[in-house]
């Protein structure tokens, strides 16, 4: 993210200033011509307001320059977490906009990792819950009866975990989208998109009956442009979701996503060999026991080959991953949604105060509700 | 250079935060001094450009700096009161050790609630949901010379199993709510109060940023003082009703290894007394419904998760946000916290 060149805002604002001054000048001339003191009073009042508006535009452009030349390294030492950001790393040379953008990218990375972990465990649980066993019954027949008997999905109850993971994924997805929206909003702000309203604000503030609209526009633009990136940078200094999870090296969720390997046991191999050997012993004595054991070993080999690529899962590992996911979900939600709403309310409070100063009561509560 | 200096001035309030949790008092004082410095500069400029209005505004804003200083003194007193008196009183009432602050104790309480809920959830899953799902999946197959039939004689257990799965999901929601509470407490002690509040004190000294400053102060104060105390109070209310959670029933499901056991050498029997797919006995389902709906266990679980997890969390958040709204007005901001309340 780079700081946008706002010289076009400056040019347009000067143009707006010129147009508004011309309109006011014409009104003043008309007032003189028609000997109407109302025109003259209006023109004198408005000429002051035009310069007030223009002052704010100049202030925004000036502060934009400050944001762009500011170095994150000058405040990074305040933070216990600044060096932990690595996806991407917030560099010392980053300005306010870049640092805010990278902080959001790190939050997005956290939530995405949380989603990956939830998705991986979800997939494992789905596979496990469908794993069906059709035992060899009765064992004494060496499985000659084929499919007769019962079948069971021993991990079918994992669908209870799956429901929880579905809810967690839903929350994470909403959080992830919220962060993406914030990144888009920041890009819009830092790219100068919102500044396009400033020239209009100058004109509107000086037109009859449009003062409130112009003042409101100016207040919203200034609040969004200055307060939002500033709050994000302050948050980046003191709020790190991985630290909150107790995982400064950014690994526990990735481990939950990638480290689930090992295995569901496909049965006790000793049990299979033992059962076959016993069946053989009952049928043919010691020789039969040896034959049974060999058959059992063959079954084991077949199972091994058949399930070689299936992967094996440890139930205890899955529970640990579930616990990590259920802890990471609220952190994702608060980092993305709660803090976003908090920032927006702070912006709303700022806009309201600034709007009053500029002659308009700005109520951003509708915007808050949309958020 | 000047621009960087101006921005550094805005952030100077954070300069005491280096190393460990920042101490908010020097940060706040420095914030006020910074605000005072800026106003003095404005005051001097007003003489330079002979702007009476600017001078009057600077003088008026000086009063706000004074008010902010009084606020800091008030917060110091409130923090000492909450640490020395409230923490002792509440801590003593709820069993905290001496010297533990109210927010540390609230964190401890929330963490112990989260642990208790996780243990119960894990036990509920391993003791009821997973074995019940196991039983519900049992089916029987009979083949003879290419003719075959299969029968899912235990499938009706899916009825209590679905309810159990749904209950587990709701429990996980409650657990996530408690985990959120824990995260909010950590936010309050490490971010809202020591960082945002001094930042708010600084912003409040200027007319243009008084709204956002007042909101930040209100947020820091409400979540540092009121929220943890609300958690302790609701925990005390929660503990008034003692409901020990009984263990899970021993549901006799088919173990993973059992299908190859030696005991099955001569038989087609299903090694789970709780359900035999060929027995065509609906009593199996009734047994599992009774296992799930055991009154004592369900009451205790409902209390632990709905009251201890969902209701008290929502109540604590509502209390804190109501205080944010009221305090924001006191500190000069008008905010609509309904967005946060909805999220809560």
């Amino acid at each position: 993210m780079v700081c946008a060149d706002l010289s076009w805002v400056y040019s347009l604002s000067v143009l707006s200033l010129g147009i508004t001054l011309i309109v006011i000048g014409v009104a003043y001339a008309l007032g003189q011509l028609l000997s109407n003191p109302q025109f003259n009073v209006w023109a004198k009042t408005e000429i002051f307001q035009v310069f007030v508006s223009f002052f704010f535009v100049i202030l925004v452009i000036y502060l934009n320059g400050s944001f762009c030349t500011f170095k994150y390294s000058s405040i990074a030492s305040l933070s216990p977490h600044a060096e932990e950001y690595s996806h991407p790393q917030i560099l010392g040379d980053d300005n306010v906009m870049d640092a805010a953008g990278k902080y959001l990218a790190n939050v997005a990375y956290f939530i995405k990792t949380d989603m990956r972990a939830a998705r991986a465990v979800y997939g494992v649980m789905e596979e496990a819950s469908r794993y069906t066993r059709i035992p060899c019954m009765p064992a004494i027949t060496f499985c000659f009866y084929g499919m007769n008997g019962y079948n069971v999905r021993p991990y079918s109850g994992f669908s209870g975990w799956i429901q929880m993971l579905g809810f967690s994924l839903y929350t994470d997805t909403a959080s992830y989208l919220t962060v993406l929206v914030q990144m888009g909003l920041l890009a819009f702000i830092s790219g100068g998109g919102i500044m396009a309203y400033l020239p209009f604000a100058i004109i509107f503030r000086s037109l009859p009956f449009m003062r409130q609209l112009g003042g409101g526009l100016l207040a919203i633009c200034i609040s969004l442009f200055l307060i939002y990136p500033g709050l994000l940078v302050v948050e980046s200094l003191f709020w790190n979701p991985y630290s909150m999870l107790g995982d400064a090296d950014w690994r526990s969720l990735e481990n939950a996503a990638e480290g689930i390997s090992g295995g569901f046991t496909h049965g006790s191999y000793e049990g299979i060999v033992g059962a076959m050997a016993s069946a053989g012993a009952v049928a043919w004595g010691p020789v039969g026991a040896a034959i049974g054991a060999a058959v059992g070993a063959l079954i084991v080999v077949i199972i091994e080959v058949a399930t070689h690529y299936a992967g094996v899962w440890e139930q205890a590992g899955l529970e640990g991953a579930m616990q990590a996911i259920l802890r990471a979900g609220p952190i994702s939600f608060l980092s993305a949604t709660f803090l976003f709403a908090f920032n927006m309310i702070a912006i709303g409070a700022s806009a309201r105060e600034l709007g009053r100063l500029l002659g308009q009561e700005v109520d951003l509560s509708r915007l808050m509700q949309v958020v | 250079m000047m621009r960087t200096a101006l921005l550094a001035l805005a952030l100077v309030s954070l300069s005491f935060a280096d190393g460990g949790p920042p101490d908010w008092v020097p940060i706040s004082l420095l914030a006020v001094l910074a605000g005072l410095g800026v106003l003095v500069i404005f005051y001097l400029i007003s003489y330079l450009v002979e702007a009476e209005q600017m001078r009057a505004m600077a003088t008026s804003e000086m009063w706000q700096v004074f008010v902010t200083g009084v606020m800091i003194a008030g917060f110091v007193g409130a923090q000492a009161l909450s640490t020395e008196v409230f923490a002792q009183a509440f801590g003593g009432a709820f069993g905290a050790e001496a010297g533990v602050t109210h927010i540390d104790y609230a964190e401890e309480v929330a963490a112990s609630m989260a642990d208790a809920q996780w243990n119960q959830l894990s036990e509920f899953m391993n003791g009821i949901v997973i074995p019940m799902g196991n039983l519900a999946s049992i089916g029987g197959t009979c083949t003879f010379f290419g003719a075959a039939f299969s029968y899912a004689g235990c499938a009706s257990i899916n009825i209590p199993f679905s309810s159990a799965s749904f209950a587990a999901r709701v429990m996980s929601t409650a657990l996530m709510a408690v985990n959120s509470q824990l995260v909010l407490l950590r936010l309050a002690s490490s971010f809202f109060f020591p960082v945002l509040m001094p930042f708010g004190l600084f912003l409040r000294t200027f007319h243009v940023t008084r709204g956002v400053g007042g909101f930040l102060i209100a947020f820091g104060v409400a979540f540092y003082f009121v929220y943890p105390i609300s958690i302790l109070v609701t925990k005390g209310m929660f503990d008034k009703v003692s409901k020990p959670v009984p263990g899970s029933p021993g549901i006799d499901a088919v173990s993973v290894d059992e299908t190859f056991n030696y005991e099955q050498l001569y038989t087609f029997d299903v090694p789970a007394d709780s359900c035999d797919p060929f027995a065509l006995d609906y009593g199996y389902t009734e047994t599992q419904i009774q296992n799930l709906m055991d009154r004592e266990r369900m009451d205790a679980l409902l209390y632990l998760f709905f009251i201890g997890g969902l209701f008290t969390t929502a109540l604590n958040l509502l209390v804190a946000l109501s205080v944010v709204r009221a305090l924001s007005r006191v500190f000069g901001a008008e905010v609509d916290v309904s967005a946060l309340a909805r999220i809560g």
Side-chain angles (χ1 to χ4, degrees):
Chain A
M1 194 182 292
V2 292
C3 272
D5 176 16
L6 292 184
S7 58
W8 61 276
V9 178
Y10 187 76
S11 306
L12 276 179
S13 300
V14 170
L15 189 65
S16 304
L17 177 75
I19 291 170
T20 315
L21 286 176
I22 289 169
V23 171
I24 293 169
V26 169
Y28 187 78
L30 270 176
Q32 292 291 345
L33 190 68
L34 303 172
S35 300
N36 187 336
Q38 280 186 328
F39 275 89
N40 295 341
V41 171
W42 177 82
K44 283 175 183 170
T45 311
E46 291 309 317
I47 206 150
F48 175 71
Q49 292 297 337
V50 171
F51 283 105
V52 168
S53 305
F54 192 67
F55 166 77
F56 276 104
V57 173
I58 298 294
L59 183 73
V60 167
I61 293 170
Y62 175 77
L63 285 174
N64 174 61
S66 300
F67 274 19
C68 291
T69 53
F70 187 76
K71 306 273 187 216
Y72 190 72
S73 57
S74 59
I75 55 169
S77 62
L78 304 178
S79 168
H81 307 302
E83 289 177 4
E84 292 168 11
Y85 293 112
S86 51
H87 297 89
Q89 190 177 4
I90 302 179
L91 302 171
D93 285 341
D94 284 335
N95 57 43
V96 171
M97 294 298 183
D98 287 337
K102 285 183 177 179
Y103 162 68
L104 285 177
N106 275 279
V107 174
Y109 180 83
F110 174 87
I111 300 171
K112 195 179 175 191
T113 314
D114 184 20
M115 286 172 71
R116 275 184 56 225
R119 200 176 59 221
V121 179
Y122 195 122
V124 170
M125 297 275 191
E126 278 279 12
E127 286 177 22
S129 68
R130 288 154 199 261
Y131 167 59
T132 306
R133 303 198 58 174
I134 303 171
C136 169
M137 292 175 64
I140 190 119
T141 63
F142 298 99
C143 312
F144 288 156
Y145 278 10
M147 302 283 279
N148 282 312
Y150 73 94
N151 55 74
V152 63
R153 284 183 285 132
Y155 301 111
S156 174
F158 279 9
S159 54
W161 289 124
I162 289 170
Q163 284 196 28
M164 291 178 214
L165 286 164
F167 178 70
S168 182
L169 262 179
Y170 170 79
T171 312
D172 290 342
T173 306
S175 304
Y176 189 59
L177 290 175
T178 309
V179 175
L180 294 184
V181 166
Q182 289 187 73
M183 291 170 81
L185 179 63
L186 186 69
F188 179 67
I189 291 169
S190 64
I194 202 152
M195 294 295 114
Y197 294 107
L198 285 181
F200 295 109
I202 293 176
I203 295 175
F204 286 149
R205 278 199 81 236
S206 300
L207 293 180
F209 310 112
M210 302 292 269
R211 163 79 44 86
Q212 293 185 337
L213 174 63
L217 272 178
L218 205 54
I220 292 170
C221 289
I222 292 171
S223 298
L224 274 176
F225 191 76
L226 299 182
I227 304 289
Y228 185 56
L231 279 173
L232 285 176
V233 169
V234 172
E235 280 159 19
S236 79
L237 290 172
F238 297 96
W239 170 247
N240 182 320
Y242 280 91
S243 300
M244 200 56 68
L245 191 65
D247 174 30
D249 64 354
W250 300 64
R251 286 301 303 169
S252 68
L253 281 174
E254 288 184 2
N255 287 343
E258 294 163 3
I260 302 167
S261 58
F264 282 132
T265 50
H266 296 282
S268 157
Y269 294 152
E270 294 82 2
I272 297 171
V273 175
M276 292 298 110
S278 302
V282 170
W284 301 300
V287 177
I291 293 170
V295 172
L298 183 64
I299 292 172
V300 168
V301 169
I302 291 169
I303 289 173
E304 271 294 294
V305 171
T307 60
H308 180 71
Y309 297 105
V312 221
W313 318 109
E314 292 290 352
Q315 193 170 337
L318 289 179
E319 266 194 41
M322 273 302 300
Q323 195 173 11
I325 289 162
L326 289 178
R327 283 180 58 219
I331 297 173
S332 300
F333 179 75
L334 286 169
S335 306
T337 312
F338 188 85
L339 282 182
F340 183 40
F342 170 81
N343 291 342
M344 283 292 129
I345 290 174
I347 290 165
S350 169
R352 184 187 284 263
E353 210 62 40
L354 195 58
R356 274 188 190 150
L357 193 73
L358 296 169
Q360 163 66 352
E361 286 273 343
V362 180
D363 183 8
L364 290 185
S365 58
R366 295 280 175 200
L367 184 63
M368 301 305 120
Q369 284 170 15
V370 171
V371 170
Chain B
M1 185 61 193
M2 275 295 287
R3 286 180 294 191
T4 309
L6 188 64
L7 203 59
L9 188 64
L11 291 165
V12 80
S13 63
L14 308 174
S15 61
F16 273 79
D18 194 6
D23 185 3
W24 72 272
V25 178
I27 299 174
S28 302
L29 289 175
L30 206 58
V32 170
L33 283 177
L36 194 65
V38 173
L39 286 175
V40 166
I41 292 168
F42 268 96
Y43 191 77
L44 293 177
I45 290 173
S46 75
Y47 272 104
L48 202 65
V49 298
E50 290 182 1
E52 277 292 330
Q53 205 175 353
M54 193 174 177
R55 198 175 309 150
M57 188 180 275
T59 312
S60 157
E61 294 304 310
M62 292 280 187
W63 277 107
Q64 291 296 335
V65 175
F66 175 73
V67 169
T68 308
V70 173
M71 277 182 199
I72 292 173
F75 290 145
V76 170
Q79 193 186 26
L81 195 69
S82 69
T83 307
E84 301 299 327
V85 182
F86 289 164
Q88 296 292 334
F90 282 104
F94 302 127
E97 291 175 7
V100 177
T101 63
H102 65 295
I103 200 155
D104 288 338
Y105 189 51
E107 265 188 48
E108 203 178 296
V109 161
S112 69
M113 176 63 84
D115 284 344
Q117 290 193 349
W118 168 255
N119 290 336
Q120 284 306 320
L121 177 61
S122 180
E123 191 173 328
F124 186 73
M125 285 300 297
N126 291 319
I128 294 181
V129 180
I130 293 174
M132 209 177 269
N134 175 316
L135 289 180
S137 74
I138 296 175
T141 305
C142 188
T143 63
F144 187 72
F145 284 111
F149 75 88
S150 65
Y151 187 73
C154 305
S156 58
I157 294 177
N158 273 314
I159 297 163
F161 170 64
S162 300
S163 304
S165 298
F166 181 72
R169 207 207 84 173
V170 176
M171 287 178 192
S172 74
T173 310
L175 174 59
M176 286 174 87
V178 175
N179 280 334
S180 301
Q181 192 160 258
L182 194 57
V183 175
L184 267 178
L185 279 172
R186 287 177 185 159
L187 259 178
S189 62
S190 66
F191 181 57
F192 289 154
F193 192 71
V195 179
L196 282 189
M197 200 193 69
F199 196 49
L201 287 167
F202 174 76
L203 293 176
R204 202 192 163 278
T205 51
F206 306 105
H207 185 85
V208 174
T209 51
R210 183 152 302 145
V212 63
F215 172 65
L216 294 183
I217 295 169
F219 211 83
V221 171
F223 274 87
Y224 188 78
F225 291 111
V226 179
Y227 190 57
I229 288 173
S230 176
I231 287 173
L232 293 180
V233 170
T234 51
K235 179 66 166 60
M237 287 155 58
F238 176 82
D239 287 343
K240 288 281 180 198
V241 181
S242 175
K243 282 198 177 293
V245 180
S248 299
I251 296 177
D252 185 22
V254 181
S255 87
V256 181
D257 295 338
E258 206 161 6
T259 47
F260 291 101
N261 270 0
Y262 176 73
E263 287 76 14
Q264 292 173 251
L265 196 57
Y266 300 103
T267 179
F268 283 96
D269 284 350
V270 179
D273 296 335
S274 305
C275 187
D276 183 340
F278 296 112
L280 309 183
D281 181 358
Y282 293 110
Y284 294 139
T285 307
E286 201 173 313
T287 306
Q288 296 312 322
I289 289 173
Q290 283 167 0
N291 275 336
L292 178 65
M293 296 305 292
D294 174 54
R295 183 70 187 269
E296 275 191 22
R297 184 177 50 255
M298 287 314 286
D299 278 0
L301 286 176
L302 281 171
Y303 189 69
L304 178 66
F305 285 94
F306 276 80
I307 305 299
L310 295 173
F311 178 73
T312 54
T313 304
L315 185 65
N316 296 332
L317 202 56
L318 274 177
V319 167
L321 290 177
S322 303
V323 173
V324 169
R325 190 184 187 122
L327 280 182
S328 296
R329 282 188 188 147
V330 173
F331 296 135
E334 274 191 34
V335 293
D336 179 13
V337 291
S338 59
L340 283 177
R342 282 201 185 95
I343 289 170

